[in-house]
């Protein structure tokens, strides 16, 4: 999508250091980190939100949760200590960027419930 900031980042139009990249996914550090480690995992394909994933996206969804999360967690050293995954969805879910992304947050003790 032409006016989508995460499409521009994923497509290289806005230069960003990727902590991870493959054919379908990029991951980079959040501009406004909420913890010592705060990574955004973003599909290259524009999908607005999680409920817009279709049957064709099952491999992509599985890839993110089976492969990418583990690789990044190991890379930043939170795989043993633990971390949190968050997908804010829609207005009440706190989503501010309309391109699906998974927050991987770690490096400190998390509290519950979230705000
Ligand atoms: P949401 O609120 O939609 O779940 O998360 C959007 C996240 O994207 C926020 O944590 C915000 O700090 C981050 N963000 C917004 N614009 C940019 C950007 O241009 N670069 C990076 N690295 N992060 C961004
Ligand atoms: Zn997009």
């Amino acid at each position: 999508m032409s006016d989508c900031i995460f499409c521009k980042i994923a497509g290289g139009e806005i230069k960003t250091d990727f902590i991870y990249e493959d054919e379908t996914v990029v991951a980079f550090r959040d501009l406004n980190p909420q913890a010592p480690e705060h990574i955004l995992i973003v599909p290259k394909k524009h999908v607005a939100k999680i409920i817009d994933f279709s049957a064709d996206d099952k491999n992509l969804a599985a890839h993110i949760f089976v492969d990418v999360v583990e690789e990044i967690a190991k890379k930043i050293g939170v795989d043993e200590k633990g971390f949190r995954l968050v997908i804010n969805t829609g207005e009440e879910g706190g989503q501010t960027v309309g391109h699906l992304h998974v927050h991987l947050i770690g490096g400190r003790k998390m509290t519950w419930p979230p705000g």
Side-chain angles (χ1 to χ4, degrees):
M1 241 176 92
S2 58
D3 62 346
C4 169
I5 188 138
F6 284 0
C7 280
K8 287 180 180 169
I9 289 175
E13 201 179 320
I14 296 175
K15 287 281 166 244
T16 302
D17 287 332
F18 294 147
I19 190 160
Y20 175 91
E21 180 178 17
D22 65 27
E23 278 182 12
T24 56
V25 175
V26 294
F28 48 89
R29 294 195 176 277
D30 196 293
L31 204 57
N32 182 25
Q34 301 302 311
E37 302 290 352
H38 188 163
I39 311 293
L40 301 173
I41 302 171
V42 178
K44 288 185 173 176
K45 168 185 176 178
H46 183 88
V47 177
K49 48 188 189 288
I50 185 103
I51 56 173
D52 296 328
F53 260 153
S54 70
D56 289 346
D57 299 318
K58 281 184 181 175
N59 285 343
L60 173 58
H63 175 54
I64 290 171
F65 291 108
V66 173
D67 308 313
V68 179
V69 165
E70 181 180 352
E71 184 162 335
I72 294 172
K74 286 180 174 166
K75 190 176 277 184
I76 65 175
V78 298
D79 54 315
E80 296 287 337
K81 288 183 290 189
F83 56 90
R84 180 170 290 174
L85 299 178
V86 175
I87 304 176
N88 295 323
T89 303
E91 194 188 341
E92 288 207 354
Q95 184 174 8
T96 60
V97 174
H99 179 134
L100 172 66
H101 49 282
V102 179
H103 297 256
L104 192 163
I105 304 168
R108 66 168 167 82
K109 179 87 172 122
M110 299 295 155
T111 58
W112 192 263

